[in-house]
């Protein structure tokens, strides 16, 4: 599945490059390739390689020669999507300046920590995450003068 | 050359302190199976933005050198390589440990990693100035072909499938196309978004691919929770780790210099091979140590012992890992082409400090180049002491809960990618790159070519267009200049040579 997904992403990038490079396909200097020259070549090669990889994969699958990685368990898949969603939620909270860095980090990463290891007691994770967050906050805000929030 | 500046830069307390900090962090990263030197350098790079160049580079080089060295600690004690570069150390290291001599194995690892590393630095010092002087003759056509050759080498050694390597490389090139066109100054694929004018930042993508991507991969692929894994490991390897801790004083009697030094010739051969392998773009410590192990076994007097717990074989792999760094740094500093993924990130770090790797670095900033040499020597000397004193401690880190490590990596990755230019957009880029890195790993695609393509994409494009602007303005320019022609031949050979040889061998066997 991952192999097919990556190749489809390649196809999409190829189409994207091809469609939008027409906006700057006129060269500004005579005899010099335009700004669209490289994107167009990359688009063509990506298209070719995506199709080649897909065809190779499908043929190998038909012959039973594909060694797909072990499938992710269903329960783990849910946890995985939960983890990714939490990470994006964290970025969104950051983007829209909702809450505070330490508070958001402590809550979200405690859940992440609990998701990553179902046997660690949550309060241990929470304490650890809080410690790491405060350490990183101090490191970046106090020493490196980064405005984290 | 201002020698007082050089000495003051290398030996100033702050540089020594940051280098030591980098070495301790690198040891932690290297000793933990699953954390690589690339990941360590990528996620800790933003911490060095606000430091003086020599302090920041000292820290990064410390992480790089010590992570590669410390990968051998878990390879020896657990049989699990801490970093990919230590795969070959598991062949003999764990067997030496299991026969009750873990301290000897760790001492061999420390000693030979350090002298291997110093040998690599020596080669770097001897070779880099002449190579840089030669590279000054390069014009745009040569640079175009050097970059194309670099990309082709990365692809050729990147895994089982060449088409997958090329594909990933071109995705990296596509990402590098976003932003202002280097020659015409036209905005490409920016959609009038201010954040995209400079293109995607290199560092968040690296952090995402190697930090978040790796954390997601480990989470998805771990069959049992880490706590169970540690319990399992404890049962299997308790004897080794506890023996190591208890018997460290007793085992000291095995550390006779004669016993350790008997691998000197094998070390020399392995170091020479590794420096050469390391200088080839796209290779790394893993390939260098495997090639060295195989070659040294062929000529060794004790070839039957290789793989059965030979001290010489362990010395060979440990020396190879760290000698390879000198080779990779040579290509990176003299030509601006990364020898491996870590040196690709180091290029980003150097550029951040306004030092562009390439031949001009040697003529414009020779002092900085010498400072880098000095820092590399200091790193190796520090590893000798910290490695000897801290191996026991770092061996215990392998028992830390995986979830805690993963969360720390994720927080560092997100904050680090934000810190580059105080932009949450970079955080989102890092997360998307992490997801993509996870997909690449699941689909058995190599990640290395993306790194190289992101760096070399712009180099290929700008130099290609410059070549076309030169008279006669045709493609023939690439074929009539001797260096460029040689590079074209090498590129074709590296891309198609292995498959042609394979087919010839197949045909002969039939």
């Amino acid at each position: 599945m991952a192999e097919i997904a990556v190749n489809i992403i390649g196809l999409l990038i190829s189409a994207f490059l091809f469609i939008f490079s027409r906006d700057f396909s006129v060269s500004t200097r005579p005899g010099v390739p335009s700004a669209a020259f490289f994107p167009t070549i990359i688009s063509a090669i990506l298209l070719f390689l995506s199709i080649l990889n897909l065809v190779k994969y499908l043929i190998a699958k038909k012959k039973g020669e594909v060694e797909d990685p072990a499938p992710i368990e269903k329960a783990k898949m849910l946890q995985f999507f939960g983890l990714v969603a939490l990470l994006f939620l964290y970025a969104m909270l950051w983007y829209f300046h909702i809450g505070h860095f330490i508070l958001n980090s402590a809550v979200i990463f405690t859940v992440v920590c609990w998701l990553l290891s179902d046997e660690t007691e949550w309060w241990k994770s929470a304490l650890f995450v809080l410690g790491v967050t405060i350490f990183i906050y101090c490191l970046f805000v106090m020493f490196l003068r980064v405005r984290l929030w | 050359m201002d020698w007082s500046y050089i000495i003051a830069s290398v030996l100033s307390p702050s540089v020594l302190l940051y280098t030591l900090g980098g070495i301790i962090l690198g040891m932690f990263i290297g000793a933990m199976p699953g954390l690589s030197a690339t990941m360590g350098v990528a996620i800790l790079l933003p911490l060095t933005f606000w430091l003086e160049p020599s302090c920041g580079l000292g820290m990064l080089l410390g992480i790089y050198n010590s992570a590669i060295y410390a990968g051998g600690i878990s390879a020896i004690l657990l049989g699990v390589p801490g970093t990919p570069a230590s795969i070959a150390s598991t062949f003999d290291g764990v067997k030496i440990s299991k026969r009750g001599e873990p301290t000897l194995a760790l001492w061999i690892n420390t000693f030979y990693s350090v002298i291997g590393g110093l040998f690599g630095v020596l080669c770097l010092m001897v070779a880099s100035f002449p190579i840089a002087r030669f590279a000054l003759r390069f014009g745009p056509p040569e640079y175009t072909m050097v970059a194309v050759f670099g990309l082709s080498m990365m692809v050729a050694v990147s895994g089982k499938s060449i088409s997958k390597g090329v594909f990933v490389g071109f995705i990296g090139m596509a990402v590098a196309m976003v932003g202002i066109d280097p020659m015409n100054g036209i905005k490409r694929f920016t959609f009038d978004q201010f954040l995209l004018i400079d293109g995607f930042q290199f560092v968040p993508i690296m952090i995402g691919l190697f930090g978040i991507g790796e954390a997601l991969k480990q989470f998805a692929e771990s069959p049992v929770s880490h706590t169970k894994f540690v319990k399992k490991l404890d049962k299997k390897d308790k004897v080794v780790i506890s023996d190591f801790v208890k018997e460290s004083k007793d085992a000291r009697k095995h550390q006779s210099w004669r016993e350790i030094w008997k691998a000197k010739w094998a070390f020399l051969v392995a170091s020479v091979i590794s420096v050469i392998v390391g200088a080839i773009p796209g290779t790394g410590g893993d390939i260098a140590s495997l090639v060295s192990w195989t070659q040294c076994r062929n000529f060794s007097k004790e070839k039957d012992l290789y793989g059965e717990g030979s001290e010489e074989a362990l010395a060979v792999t440990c020396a190879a890992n760290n000698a390879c760094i000198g080779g990779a740094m040579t290509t990176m500093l003299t030509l601006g082409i990364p020898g491996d993924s870590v040196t690709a990130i180091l290029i980003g770090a150097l550029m951040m400090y306004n030092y562009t790797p390439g031949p001009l670095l040697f003529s414009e900033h020779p002092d900085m180049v010498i400072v880098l040499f000095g820092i590399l020597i200091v790193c190796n000397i520090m590893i000798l002491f910290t490695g000897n004193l801290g191996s026991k401690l770092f061996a215990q880190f392998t028992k830390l809960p995986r979830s805690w490590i993963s969360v720390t990596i994720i927080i560092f990755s997100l904050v680090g990618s934000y810190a580059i230019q105080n932009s949450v957009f970079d955080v989102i880029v890092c997360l998307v790159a992490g997801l993509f890195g996870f997909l690449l790993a699941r689909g058995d695609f190599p990640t290395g070519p993306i790194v190289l393509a992101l760096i070399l994409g712009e180099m290929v494009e700008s130099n290609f267009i410059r070549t076309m602007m030169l008279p006669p303005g045709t493609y023939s320019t690439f074929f009539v200049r001797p260096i460029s022609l040689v590079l074209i031949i090498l590129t074709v050979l590296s891309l198609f040579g292995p498959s042609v040889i394979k087919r010839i061998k197949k045909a002969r066997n039939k």
Side-chain angles (χ1 to χ4, degrees):
Chain A
M1 269 309 281
E3 185 151 357
I4 294 175
V6 172
N7 283 310
I8 288 173
I9 291 172
L11 280 174
L12 290 174
I13 293 175
S14 162
F16 175 87
L17 288 183
F18 182 74
I19 293 165
F20 292 103
S21 45
R22 285 193 294 180
D23 295 350
F24 36 82
S25 56
V26 180
S27 176
T28 49
R29 297 176 207 181
V32 177
S34 72
F37 180 73
F38 261 80
T40 312
I41 289 179
I42 292 167
S43 160
I45 298 174
L46 265 181
L47 178 72
F48 169 71
L49 289 170
S50 308
I51 294 172
L52 178 75
N53 282 335
L54 271 174
V55 170
K56 269 167 92 177
Y57 176 76
L58 293 174
I59 290 173
K61 185 136 199 172
K62 213 176 176 184
K63 285 183 183 170
E65 292 169 356
V66 177
E67 289 172 32
D68 274 331
I72 304 170
E73 296 160 33
K74 260 190 188 171
K76 199 138 217 183
M77 197 70 128
L78 270 177
Q79 283 185 337
F80 180 78
F81 284 118
L83 171 68
V84 173
L86 275 172
L87 293 180
F88 275 95
L89 170 70
Y90 181 69
M92 286 303 123
L93 290 175
W94 203 340
Y95 190 78
F96 292 110
H97 286 256
I98 299 168
H100 189 273
F101 176 80
I102 291 183
L103 194 69
N104 291 355
S105 304
V107 174
I108 286 184
F109 286 109
T110 302
V111 183
V112 168
C113 208
W114 174 74
L115 274 177
L116 288 173
S117 167
D118 44 20
E119 285 190 22
T120 309
E121 289 162 62
W122 71 269
W123 60 269
K124 274 189 191 170
S125 303
L127 275 180
F128 173 77
V129 167
L130 197 64
V132 169
T133 309
I134 291 172
F135 169 72
I136 289 175
Y137 192 82
C138 294
L139 195 68
F140 278 87
V141 176
M142 293 168 77
F143 295 113
L144 305 177
R145 312 264 177 236
V146 176
R147 283 180 295 111
L148 272 180
W149 218 249
Chain B
M1 223 173 284
D2 186 356
W3 285 100
S4 57
Y5 163 77
I6 292 167
I7 293 166
S9 292
V10 176
L11 298 177
S12 79
S14 57
V15 174
L16 293 176
L17 200 68
Y18 280 108
T19 308
L20 183 66
I23 280 170
I24 291 169
L25 282 169
M27 282 196 182
F28 171 71
I29 289 162
M32 290 294 297
L35 306 189
S36 63
T38 316
M39 180 202 273
V41 174
I43 63 172
L44 295 169
L45 174 62
L47 278 180
T48 63
F49 282 6
W50 291 268
L51 301 176
E52 288 283 310
S54 39
C55 293
L57 292 167
M59 189 170 171
L60 294 174
L61 289 173
I63 296 170
Y64 182 20
N65 280 271
S66 67
I68 296 288
Y69 148 72
I73 296 176
S74 51
I76 287 166
L77 295 178
L78 304 175
V80 184
T83 57
S86 330
I87 289 170
S89 300
T90 57
F91 301 164
D92 295 273
V94 78
K95 286 181 180 156
I96 300 177
S97 290
K98 284 192 172 165
R99 74 172 182 234
E101 295 175 312
T103 311
L104 173 68
L106 285 173
W107 173 237
I108 289 175
N109 180 37
T110 308
F111 180 72
Y112 278 101
S113 294
V114 168
I115 56 168
L118 288 173
F119 183 86
V121 181
L122 185 72
C123 293
L124 169 68
M125 288 163 75
V126 171
S128 57
F129 275 93
I131 295 175
R133 224 170 289 136
F134 177 73
L136 279 174
R137 294 184 206 168
F138 289 10
E142 285 78 18
Y143 270 114
T144 310
M145 291 325 299
V146 164
V148 172
F149 173 63
L151 283 169
S152 72
M153 282 312 298
M154 187 67 142
V155 164
V157 296
S158 59
K160 293 174 210 164
S161 167
I162 289 183
S163 64
K164 278 185 176 179
V166 181
F167 171 79
V168 171
F170 273 92
I171 288 200
M173 294 268 275
V175 174
M177 291 295 120
V178 177
I180 292 178
D181 156 43
M183 293 308 294
N184 296 299
I186 292 170
K187 284 187 261 175
R188 292 190 298 201
F189 313 114
T190 57
F191 305 103
D192 293 328
Q193 294 296 310
F194 174 71
L195 291 163
L196 289 174
I197 286 177
D198 284 336
F200 288 107
Q201 289 285 321
F202 171 69
V203 181
I205 296 177
M206 288 302 93
I207 295 176
L209 283 174
F210 293 105
I212 306 274
E214 194 57 41
L216 291 178
K217 184 187 158 216
Q218 282 182 17
F219 170 61
E221 289 181 357
S222 58
V224 282
S225 74
H226 180 69
T227 339
K228 281 181 194 162
F229 173 67
V230 168
K231 278 177 195 161
K232 226 170 151 185
L233 261 185
D234 271 357
K235 260 187 204 166
K236 208 171 104 191
D237 297 300
K238 209 168 195 166
V239 185
V240 173
I241 294 182
S242 58
D243 279 359
F244 158 64
V245 174
K246 281 179 201 162
E247 291 179 6
S248 53
K249 276 184 186 167
D250 302 338
R252 203 157 279 275
K253 65 187 172 197
H254 295 293
Q255 295 177 5
S256 68
W257 278 102
R258 194 187 287 172
E259 204 169 339
I260 287 176
W261 196 232
K262 74 179 180 188
K264 56 184 178 294
W265 297 115
F267 146 75
L268 201 63
V269 174
S271 300
V272 172
I273 292 173
S274 302
V275 169
I276 296 168
V277 171
I280 299 171
T283 55
D286 46 350
I287 296 174
S289 56
L290 284 169
V291 172
S292 303
W293 189 86
T294 316
Q295 292 306 318
C296 290
R297 186 182 56 176
N298 288 341
F299 84 89
S300 173
K301 282 177 192 166
E302 48 178 66
K303 65 172 80 168
D304 297 337
L305 293 176
Y306 271 58
E308 301 297 328
S310 157
E311 286 139 29
E312 182 185 291
L314 179 64
V316 160
T317 56
C318 297
N321 290 343
N322 282 57
C324 178
I325 295 173
M329 293 286 292
T330 310
T331 326
M332 186 269 269
L333 288 174
T334 56
L335 300 174
I337 292 180
D340 57 15
S341 307
V342 187
T343 42
I345 299 167
L346 287 177
I347 287 183
L350 279 166
M351 286 169 113
M352 198 178 72
Y353 292 120
N354 290 326
Y355 296 112
T356 307
L360 289 178
L361 180 71
F362 286 76
S363 48
E364 288 171 2
H365 304 285
D367 296 355
M368 193 59 212
V369 175
I370 306 281
V371 167
L372 284 175
F373 296 163
I375 289 173
L376 280 167
I377 293 171
V378 169
C379 281
N380 281 294
I381 295 169
M382 281 184 174
I383 288 173
L384 186 64
F385 294 105
T386 45
N388 212 18
L389 294 171
S391 288
K392 278 181 203 172
L393 178 70
F394 292 110
Q396 299 301 324
F397 281 141
T398 53
K399 288 182 171 184
L400 276 176
R402 175 69 60 193
S403 59
W404 291 12
I405 306 294
S406 297
V407 162
T408 312
I409 290 169
I410 293 172
I411 303 180
F412 255 106
S413 300
L414 297 182
V415 177
S417 50
Y418 172 82
I420 299 157
Q421 45 181 11
N422 284 342
S423 159
V424 186
F425 177 71
D426 286 340
V427 177
I428 295 165
V429 169
C430 170
L431 283 174
V432 174
L435 269 179
F436 189 62
F438 167 73
L439 280 177
L440 287 180
R442 290 284 297 172
D444 200 21
F445 285 85
T447 333
I450 286 199
V451 185
L452 206 62
L454 276 170
I455 288 194
L456 297 180
E458 200 255 323
M459 188 174 166
V460 174
E461 188 180 13
S462 55
N463 283 296
F464 175 81
I465 293 173
R466 273 192 204 114
T467 309
M468 298 311 283
M469 287 163 77
L470 293 170
T474 59
Y475 297 110
S476 63
T477 316
F478 293 106
F479 298 94
V480 294
R481 296 172 69 124
I483 300 171
S484 167
L485 184 64
V486 169
L487 287 164
I488 290 174
I489 294 168
L490 288 175
T491 305
V492 173
L493 283 177
S494 68
L495 279 178
F496 302 106
S499 55
V500 170
I501 292 170
K502 221 186 211 175
R503 283 186 186 199
I504 292 171
K505 275 187 182 170
K506 239 185 191 176
R508 273 187 190 167
N509 288 340
K510 277 181 185 174

